[in-house]
Amino acid sequence: MAKTIGSTQKEKKTIAISAYLLNQSNDMIESGEFSSLSDLITTAMNEFFVHKRMGLCGEMHSVMKAYLQTEEGRELIRSICEADPKAEPVVIAESVEKKTFK
């Protein structure tokens, strides 16, 4: 039977993973970061599905976080929040640094 929301019941499955992933998992369990392999996999899968569902929203979060690190970025966000939604858009690309997000 599959796990239902609010239930502690879980379904058992057999999986195959690489030795590298198993070693990394065991290191995290031994360090106390996770209580078991099941705990680690459940957490990883939950985060994966949240990330997949967030899609563009997740990318937008990274961009907003980068903007909030500078006064210029904070001012830009402030101006967007206060802007008239019917006003013509203003080009701001020249003042934004190119950043790489992981």
Side-chain angles (χ1 to χ4, degrees), residues 12-28:
K12 290 186 178 190
K13 294 289 178 185
T14 301
I15 63 168
I17 62 172
S18 71
Y20 172 79
L21 290 176
L22 184 58
N23 289 335
Q24 293 294 309
S25 299
N26 287 333
D27 289 346
M28 295 180 91

Side-chain angles (χ1 to χ4, degrees), residues 22-85:
L22 184 58
N23 289 335
Q24 293 294 309
S25 299
N26 287 333
D27 289 346
M28 295 180 91
I29 293 163
E30 288 173 13
S31 74
E33 192 168 346
F34 294 92
S35 62
S36 65
L37 185 57
S38 178
D39 179 33
L40 187 149
I41 291 171
T42 299
T43 301
M45 290 181 74
N46 280 327
E47 289 188 17
F48 171 80
F49 290 123
V50 166
H51 177 75
K52 291 297 276 185
R53 287 186 183 119
M54 286 180 64
L56 182 58
C57 184
E59 292 173 21
M60 182 57 100
H61 179 265
S62 295
V63 171
M64 295 296 283
K65 190 173 178 180
Y67 278 131
L68 290 171
Q69 293 176 0
T70 66
E71 183 55 41
E72 182 181 21
R74 288 188 292 274
E75 182 57 38
L76 171 64
I77 293 170
R78 209 174 291 117
S79 70
I80 291 169
C81 291
E82 295 171 355
D84 178 357

